[in-house]
Amino acid sequence: MIRNYFKIAWRNLRREKGFAFLNISGLSIGMAAAILILLWIQNEMSMNRTFPKTDRIYLMYNRDTFSGEKHAWGTTPKVMAAVLKKDYPEVEDAVRVSWANFLFTAGDKKLNEQGFFVDKGFLDMFDYEMLEGNSTTALDAVNHIVLTESYAKKLFGEEDAMGKTVKLDSTDIFTVTGVMKDFPNTTRINSRTTVSYLLPWSYMKKLGWDDEWWGNNSVTTYALLKEGVSPEQFNTKVRTVTIDHSPEGNKATTEVFGYPLSRVYLYGKSENGQLTDGRIVTVRLFAVIAIFILLIACINFMNLSTARSEKRAKEVGIRKVVGAGKASLIVQFIGESVLLSLMAGVLAVLIVQLSLPYFNDLVGKQLFLDYGNPAFWAQLTGFILFTGFLAGSYPAFFLSSFSPVKVLKGTFRRAKAALDPRKVLVVIQFTFAIVLIISTLIIQRQIRHAQNRELGYNKNGLIYVSLQGDIGKRYSSIKQSLLASGAVDAVTKSMSPITQHSSDSWGFSWPGSTPEDEKLDFIRFSTDGDFMKVMGTQLVEGRDIDVTQHVSDSSAVLLNETAVKRMRLKDPVGKVITDDDEKWTVVGVVKDFIIASPFEPVAPMMINGPSAWFNVLHIRLNPDRAVADNLATIQKVFEQFNPHYPFEYQFVDEQYALKFDDTRRTGTLSSLFALLTIIISCLGLFGLSAYMAASRVKEVGVRKVLGASVRNITLLLSKDFLKLVIIAFGVAAPIAWYVMSRWLSGYNYRISIEWWVFAVTGIISLVIAGLTVSFQAIKAALTNPVKSLRTE
C-alpha cells in the first residue's frame, strides 16, 4: 500500500512539473533559511554552556548607584579571588582573567597576539582539553606558558611545541608547558571568543601590574561553587565583601554578587542594577523569523495543493467508491508532501552548505553542518518530516473530505465561504513579509541616524599605535622625528584609543560639589598635549593642555560639556578637582565627542594631563600627502627607534565603524530574510494566480467575445489578490510598529517611526504582488477566446 502511495505521488509530480518546481523551490528556500537561523540560534544558546562545570561557575559582578541610577558591571578588584577562596567555604576555587598583549618572538617569527593572564586553576575550572601538558601544573612557574593549538602551529609549524621557548616583548623567555585545543566557538571568556595563549598570574605580579586595591575594578573573577551550594545564600553572604574590605574613613557602597556563567552571554544587560534580557531578545526575534519563514513555505504548499483540488477530485472520488477510507487518503496525501519535503530538504542542505561561508562572514561566527554527528542526521530527519507533515496537513484533510457522489456528478465545488482558508493563508504570508520590510527600513534608518550623528572629533586621517617596546622610553625622539618628516601634523599620547574608554572613576570633589556628587561617574582619558590638534575636537572655552608653555599643565584637566553641566560649574576654567590626594586644575572645556556607543548619550569626561598613564599613541596624518606615503615614512621612524617590534597601526575611522557591526548585522539579516520571505510568498502567489487563470479561462473567453479589453480582464483577475495584500498590510502595520518601538527603546539616541515608512512599504508590497499576479493575468487575457471556448 505504502509503495503504491509513493508510486502515485511520483507520477503526480512528473505530471505536474510546474507545481512540483514551485513547491520544492519554496520549501527548499524556506527550509534553508530556517536551518541557517537555527544553526546560529544553537550556537548562541550554547555559549558558555558546554563546560562540564558550567552550572557551578559564577562570574562576579559589582552593583552600585551612580547619578541616581543603579548599575551592574562584571569587572572586580584583583584581590577578590584570593579572598573568596580564603574566607568563603562555599567557593571551591576562584580565578582571575585579565588581558595580555605581547610581541612573541620564535626564531625569525615575530607576532603580536592577544591572550590572558590567568590563575593556575583556570584550566581545571573550565576543563579545557589539553593536547599536551598537564592542566594542573602547566602554569605553576612564572616563565611557563600554554599555547592554543593554532597559535602553536603559527609559531613552530608542524614541530612539537612542548618544551620550546618563546621571547615576550624582547625581554622574558618562556617555556611552552602546555598546548590546548583552540577555544571552541561557543566560548566567550572575558568578552572574547578567541585567545592565543595563557600566561600565569605570577608573571603579572613580576611586571608590577598586580595590586590589592579594592577600588580598582579591572579584572574578571570567576568563582566555582562547591556541589550543593545555594547561589542565593552565597550571594547573600558575599554581598558586602568589597564594603567590608574598604577603609574605615572611606567606606565603599559597592555590592557584589555572582551571576551564572551560563546566563552572562544571553542575559547580561544591566537594567537598574539587575541583569536581564540581552542578546536573548535577538535570539527570540530570529527564532520567530525562522518559524514564520518555514510556515510561509508550508503555506505555499497548502495553497497550491488545495488550488489543484479540481484535478485531484475525481481521483479521490473513485478511491472512496472502491473502499478507500478517509484515513488512508490522508496518509497518501501527507506521504506526497513528505516526499516533496524530502526533495526540498536535500536541496536545502545543499543551499546551506554553499551559503555558509557567506553567512558566517555576515554573523561573525564559524557555523558548520556536523555531518559526522548522528544527532545532526536525526535532527535533520525530524526537521524534514515535521515540515512535510505541517505542509501536507491541511491539503490532506481538505482533499480527503470530498464527497464521492458530488465529485462524480461534477457538482463537488463548494460555495464561496465568507472566510476562505486559502485567502487567510495568503494574508498571513504577506503580513509577515510586510512586517519584515517595515522592520528592515526602520533598522537601516536607525543605523544611518547614528552614523550621521555629530562625532565631535575628526576621525579621518587619524591613526593610533600601541605603546609597545621602546616607544614610551623614546617618545620624545619619535615625536620630533615624526613631526620633522612631513608625514605628520601632530602627535599625542593617551590611555586608550579615542574609539573606546579603558577607565572610568568616581569619588571626585570640586568647589560647590555635594556628597552625592561623589557618585558621579566620569570617563577618563589622557593627553600629553596637542589634544585639539591631533583629535580635531573643538574648544568651548579655556585652552588646550600644553606643558611646553605651562609647566603646571602636568596636573591639568580638560572637561567635556556634559561634565560641566553635571558638575553645575558656571565658570569651570581654573576650578580644582580633587581625587583623593591628587588635584587637577581645569584649563579648558571641549565640545562633547563620542568615545563610547554612538547610540548612547555622551557621558561626563575628564581628559587628564601628562601625569596620567598612557597606552596609545595618536597620530594626525598630513592631509596634503598620500596616505600610503605618510604611512611608509612613519614606519621608517618606528623601525629606527623601536626596531624589535613590527609597526602596527589602526585607522580610527575603521575602528569607529566597528561600533555599528551588531546593529548593521541585525539590519542585514532582516533585509536578507525579508527578501527570502518575499520570494517565497511570490512563488506561492505566482502559482495561485496561474491556477486561478486556468480555472477562469472560459470566463475570460466569454468576456473577450463580449468586448472586454486586456486591461479590464487583467484588473479583474488581479484585484482579488491585491485586496488580500491590502488586508495583510492593515494587519502588519500595527504589529511592525509595536515590534520596532520595543526594539528602538533599547537605544537612547534613536529615530522616531515616520508614517512614510509604512506608505513606502505598502506601495512596495502592492507593486511586488501586482507584478507577480499580472504576469498570469495578462497571459490569460491575451489567450485566443476561440481556443478556450471550442469545447463549449
Side-chain angles (χ1 to χ4, degrees):
M1 183 67 73
I2 295 175
R3 178 180 162 186
N4 184 50
Y5 288 161
F6 277 98
K7 185 182 293 185
I8 293 171
W10 178 250
R11 287 172 179 172
N12 282 323
L13 293 180
R14 291 183 61 186
R15 185 167 58 248
E16 297 286 349
K17 293 183 178 65
F19 159 80
F21 172 78
L22 290 175
N23 262 333
I24 292 175
S25 298
L27 276 178
S28 61
I29 294 172
M31 292 171 77
I35 290 171
L36 286 172
I37 298 174
L38 290 173
L39 282 173
W40 177 82
I41 290 175
Q42 183 183 46
N43 181 269
E44 292 282 292
M45 295 297 292
S46 300
M47 196 65 69
N48 289 340
R49 299 187 181 200
T50 56
F51 306 117
K53 302 171 186 172
T54 293
D55 294 341
R56 296 193 288 131
I57 301 176
Y58 286 75
L59 175 61
M60 303 309 297
Y61 270 81
N62 287 324
R63 181 188 292 122
D64 210 335
T65 302
F66 302 103
S67 305
E69 294 183 6
K70 280 191 174 183
H71 297 269
W73 66 99
T75 51
T76 53
K78 299 183 182 77
V79 69
M80 181 180 289
V83 171
L84 292 177
K85 290 172 65 175
K86 177 186 174 184
D87 298 340
Y88 294 84
E90 297 86 354
V91 177
E92 182 176 314
D93 197 7
V95 300
R96 296 161 291 185
V97 179
S98 184
W99 285 116
N101 192 351
F102 291 99
L103 176 72
F104 279 67
T105 302
D108 58 350
K109 292 182 181 177
K110 292 181 180 291
L111 298 174
N112 255 322
E113 291 289 342
Q114 291 184 331
F116 287 151
F117 287 108
V118 297
D119 285 305
K120 65 178 184 178
F122 176 84
L123 287 167
D124 285 335
M125 178 182 289
F126 290 96
D127 287 297
Y128 283 116
E129 182 180 350
M130 298 291 290
L131 300 177
E132 295 183 88
N134 187 316
S135 62
T136 305
T137 60
L139 296 173
D140 275 353
V142 68
N143 65 334
H144 286 180
I145 188 171
V146 174
L147 305 178
T148 62
E149 181 182 13
S150 59
Y151 192 46
K153 288 182 178 179
K154 273 187 182 181
L155 289 172
F156 304 109
E158 297 302 321
E159 296 181 23
D160 186 3
M162 283 293 289
K164 293 277 197 311
T165 58
V166 293
K167 184 184 289 187
L168 268 62
D169 277 0
S170 302
T171 53
D172 294 315
I173 305 296
F174 278 76
T175 301
V176 178
T177 54
V179 177
M180 60 182 287
K181 288 276 288 184
D182 289 346
F183 281 55
N185 65 359
T186 53
T187 299
R188 188 173 288 268
I189 300 295
N190 209 18
S191 303
R192 287 294 179 123
T193 54
T194 58
V195 292
S196 297
Y197 55 88
L198 301 177
L199 289 168
W201 198 267
S202 54
Y203 183 57
M204 194 171 190
K205 288 184 178 180
K206 178 184 175 181
L207 295 173
W209 297 349
D210 195 15
D211 64 74
E212 296 187 356
W213 179 37
W214 282 87
N216 181 13
N217 297 290
S218 57
V219 301
T220 49
T221 302
Y222 296 91
L224 176 65
L225 302 188
K226 292 179 179 177
E227 295 279 2
V229 169
S230 166
E232 292 76 15
Q233 292 179 359
F234 169 69
N235 280 338
T236 301
K237 192 172 180 180
V238 81
R239 183 176 64 86
T240 60
V241 61
T242 297
I243 297 172
D244 295 341
H245 287 83
S246 60
E248 285 296 332
N250 187 21
K251 276 291 182 183
T253 57
T254 301
E255 298 178 353
V256 175
F257 65 97
Y259 194 66
L261 176 63
S262 59
R263 293 180 61 85
V264 169
Y265 181 75
L266 294 175
Y267 301 89
K269 182 181 179 181
S270 173
E271 288 186 3
N272 196 28
Q274 301 295 324
L275 297 179
T276 59
D277 292 352
R279 289 188 66 86
I280 191 64
V281 174
T282 306
V283 171
R284 289 170 183 159
L285 172 64
F286 283 102
V288 171
I289 290 175
I291 291 170
F292 272 96
I293 286 180
L294 187 62
L295 181 61
I296 285 172
C298 292
I299 286 174
N300 271 359
F301 185 95
M302 296 175 188
N303 276 338
L304 292 174
S305 295
T306 54
R308 295 172 63 246
S309 58
E310 185 175 343
K311 294 190 175 183
R312 303 294 299 271
K314 288 185 179 180
E315 175 193 340
V316 172
I318 292 172
R319 283 182 173 275
K320 282 194 171 185
V321 167
V322 298
K326 185 173 182 178
S328 65
L329 290 171
I330 290 173
V331 171
Q332 176 192 341
F333 292 126
I334 287 182
E336 291 183 15
S337 69
V338 169
L339 179 61
L340 268 175
S341 179
L342 179 62
M343 295 177 181
V346 173
L347 184 57
V349 170
L350 179 61
I351 293 172
V352 169
Q353 189 61 57
L354 293 174
S355 59
L356 259 179
Y358 308 101
F359 189 73
N360 283 336
D361 288 341
L362 180 60
V363 299
K365 291 182 178 289
Q366 291 300 316
L367 306 176
F368 60 94
L369 295 175
D370 192 2
Y371 296 113
N373 188 350
F376 165 76
W377 293 105
Q379 292 168 357
L380 180 63
T381 302
F383 179 71
I384 290 173
L385 290 175
F386 171 78
T387 304
F389 278 107
L390 179 63
S393 57
Y394 174 65
F397 284 99
F398 177 80
L399 293 171
S400 64
S401 65
F402 289 159
S403 168
V405 176
K406 291 183 177 180
V407 166
L408 297 178
K409 282 185 176 182
T411 59
F412 78 98
R413 293 185 183 179
R414 300 180 176 183
K416 287 188 177 180
L419 194 64
D420 187 344
R422 197 152 58 234
K423 292 180 178 179
V424 172
L425 293 176
V426 171
V427 169
I428 292 173
Q429 274 188 315
F430 274 90
T431 295
F432 185 66
I434 291 168
V435 167
L436 277 181
I437 294 172
I438 293 173
S439 301
T440 298
L441 292 175
I442 291 174
I443 291 171
Q444 296 299 337
R445 286 192 64 232
Q446 171 68 3
I447 294 172
R448 286 195 298 272
H449 181 63
Q451 287 176 330
N452 295 333
R453 183 181 180 183
E454 185 178 356
L455 187 56
Y457 66 89
N458 182 10
K459 65 181 185 296
N460 300 315
L462 182 61
I463 66 171
Y464 64 86
V465 179
S466 296
L467 286 178
Q468 283 190 310
D470 295 331
I471 295 177
K473 298 175 186 176
R474 310 182 73 176
Y475 170 67
S476 296
S477 299
I478 292 174
K479 183 175 181 178
Q480 290 174 7
S481 297
L482 287 174
L483 294 174
S485 70
V488 171
D489 278 355
V491 181
T492 191
K493 291 187 292 185
S494 62
M495 65 176 64
S496 67
I498 197 169
T499 53
Q500 64 188 66
H501 72 274
S502 59
S503 176
D504 60 291
S505 301
W506 61 91
F508 301 98
S509 62
W510 55 88
S513 65
T514 65
E516 289 75 19
D517 288 328
E518 292 185 5
K519 282 304 184 74
L520 180 58
D521 191 30
F522 291 84
I523 289 177
R524 302 294 296 273
F525 205 71
S526 61
T527 179
D528 70 313
D530 288 333
F531 182 80
M532 304 294 169
K533 190 173 182 180
V534 174
M535 304 301 182
T537 51
Q538 297 180 34
L539 195 64
V540 176
E541 59 179 298
R543 60 175 176 80
D544 197 354
I545 294 174
D546 186 352
V547 289
T548 58
Q549 297 293 326
H550 307 275
V551 178
S552 60
D553 274 8
S554 59
S555 59
V557 64
L558 298 170
L559 299 176
N560 69 350
E561 293 174 297
T562 298
V564 172
K565 291 176 185 176
R566 299 291 291 275
M567 297 167 74
R568 305 179 304 282
L569 295 176
K570 293 185 178 179
D571 298 303
V573 176
K575 296 293 191 296
V576 176
I577 299 173
T578 303
D579 178 17
D580 292 331
D581 296 331
E582 291 184 288
K583 294 185 181 298
W584 300 89
T585 302
V586 179
V587 298
V589 178
V590 299
K591 189 176 179 63
D592 282 345
F593 61 90
I594 299 171
I595 192 172
S597 169
F599 300 102
E600 301 296 330
V602 174
M605 179 186 291
M606 290 184 182
I607 304 166
N608 299 103
S611 61
W613 68 95
F614 303 105
N615 297 310
V616 174
L617 199 67
H618 282 89
I619 302 172
R620 170 66 60 184
L621 303 180
N622 184 349
D624 296 329
R625 292 179 38 163
V627 172
D629 293 340
N630 285 334
L631 293 175
T633 302
I634 295 169
Q635 181 173 354
K636 291 178 182 178
V637 172
F638 277 94
E639 288 174 347
Q640 176 186 352
F641 292 100
N642 196 35
H644 300 296
Y645 288 77
F647 173 59
E648 296 179 351
Y649 57 89
Q650 301 290 339
F651 281 98
V652 168
D653 56 352
E654 292 178 354
Q655 294 302 304
Y656 181 75
L658 296 178
K659 293 178 181 288
F660 299 94
D661 271 6
D662 281 345
T663 308
R664 187 184 294 112
R665 188 174 292 124
T666 301
T668 305
L669 287 172
S670 297
S671 303
L672 173 63
F673 294 129
L675 178 62
L676 292 177
T677 303
I678 292 168
I679 291 173
I680 297 170
S681 299
C682 288
L683 283 173
L685 202 59
F686 183 84
L688 279 178
S689 60
Y691 281 109
M692 174 271 300
S695 65
R696 300 178 69 176
V697 65
K698 291 182 175 61
E699 176 191 346
V700 170
V702 172
R703 288 180 178 276
K704 289 195 72 174
V705 168
L706 296 176
S709 65
V710 172
R711 178 176 173 274
N712 290 336
I713 292 174
T714 302
L715 289 175
L716 173 71
L717 298 179
S718 303
K719 66 179 181 180
D720 287 342
F721 290 105
L722 296 180
K723 286 178 184 178
L724 297 180
V725 175
I726 293 171
I727 294 171
F729 176 79
V731 175
I735 295 174
W737 180 86
Y738 174 76
V739 171
M740 283 293 97
S741 295
R742 290 289 303 272
W743 182 76
L744 287 171
S745 66
Y747 299 100
N748 292 102
Y749 185 79
R750 59 179 181 264
I751 61 170
S752 57
I753 301 178
E754 302 287 347
W755 66 268
W756 63 262
V757 173
F758 298 91
V760 168
T761 303
I763 294 170
I764 291 173
S765 305
L766 285 172
V767 169
I768 292 173
L771 291 174
T772 304
V773 174
S774 61
F775 176 82
Q776 293 293 345
I778 293 172
K779 182 180 177 182
L782 293 174
T783 302
N784 189 339
V786 174
K787 291 183 179 180
S788 59
L789 297 176
R790 69 172 60 178
T791 59
E792 290 296 324

